[in-house]
Amino acid sequence: MSLLNILRYPDPRLHKIAKPVTAFDVRLKQLVDDMAETMYEAPGVGLAASQVDVHEQLVVIDISDSKSDLRVFINPAIVWASDEQQIYDEGCLSVPGVYDGVLRHASVKVRALDINGKAFETTAEGLLAVCIQHEMDHLKGKVFVEYLSPLKRNRIKARMLKEERENNREKKRSGAR
Ligand code: GNR
Ligand code: NI
């Protein structure tokens, strides 16, 4: 098990399009383990492979309070979405400290493969529906701040770049000693 580095907005690698997973081997199981560990440690309720610079259609989610209900979605596709929509105050491990309302389908039916390559379907509502749609956006290279107004997005981008500069400066300072 190992922790993976989470890319931060506006890293251009967050906008790469993920390719379908084709091999259900040990390497995939290792990657799922590492992504789950990274998500729990962050802590977050979901993580898409794109966020750890692996551009394959793989998502882990755990919305349980006990952190004991890991869900793995490989090559996920939305096969039905409700007309009803809901606004949820979203955050993202790739945009730390930022929370804002995003309008999405209130309920979605998802078809995906499990860790062994077996197909399954699940219908989600509430936070799980939000999370699945948020993670599937990552696989398409989309970060939730892209739903916000250009003004908000530009402010967020500027804040993230400033934090990155400060982090780099701090890293250099502590490394120089
Ligand atoms: O940890 C997360 N919390 C969250 C809260 C509201 C809506 C979506 C999310 S997903 C996020 C983890 C993450 O960045 N996944 O890509
Ligand atoms: Ni995210």
Side-chain angles (χ1 to χ4, degrees), residues 103-121:
L103 182 67
R104 297 190 191 269
H105 301 291
S107 180
V108 290
K109 185 172 178 182
V110 181
R111 186 175 169 80
L113 302 178
D114 68 14
I115 188 70
N116 299 310
K118 187 172 178 293
F120 68 95
E121 281 188 356

Side-chain angles (χ1 to χ4, degrees), residues 66-129:
S66 54
K67 295 289 168 196
S68 60
D69 189 15
L70 183 69
R71 297 168 200 255
V72 179
F73 296 86
I74 297 168
N75 302 347
I78 291 179
V79 295
W80 172 84
S82 63
D83 291 334
E84 190 197 336
Q85 305 205 104
Q86 64 178 348
I87 296 181
Y88 196 95
D89 222 13
E90 297 194 16
C92 181
L93 296 174
S94 295
V95 200
V98 173
Y99 300 87
D100 213 327
V102 176
L103 182 67
R104 297 190 191 269
H105 301 291
S107 180
V108 290
K109 185 172 178 182
V110 181
R111 186 175 169 80
L113 302 178
D114 68 14
I115 188 70
N116 299 310
K118 187 172 178 293
F120 68 95
E121 281 188 356
T122 188
T123 302
E125 53 181 44
L127 176 59
L128 184 59

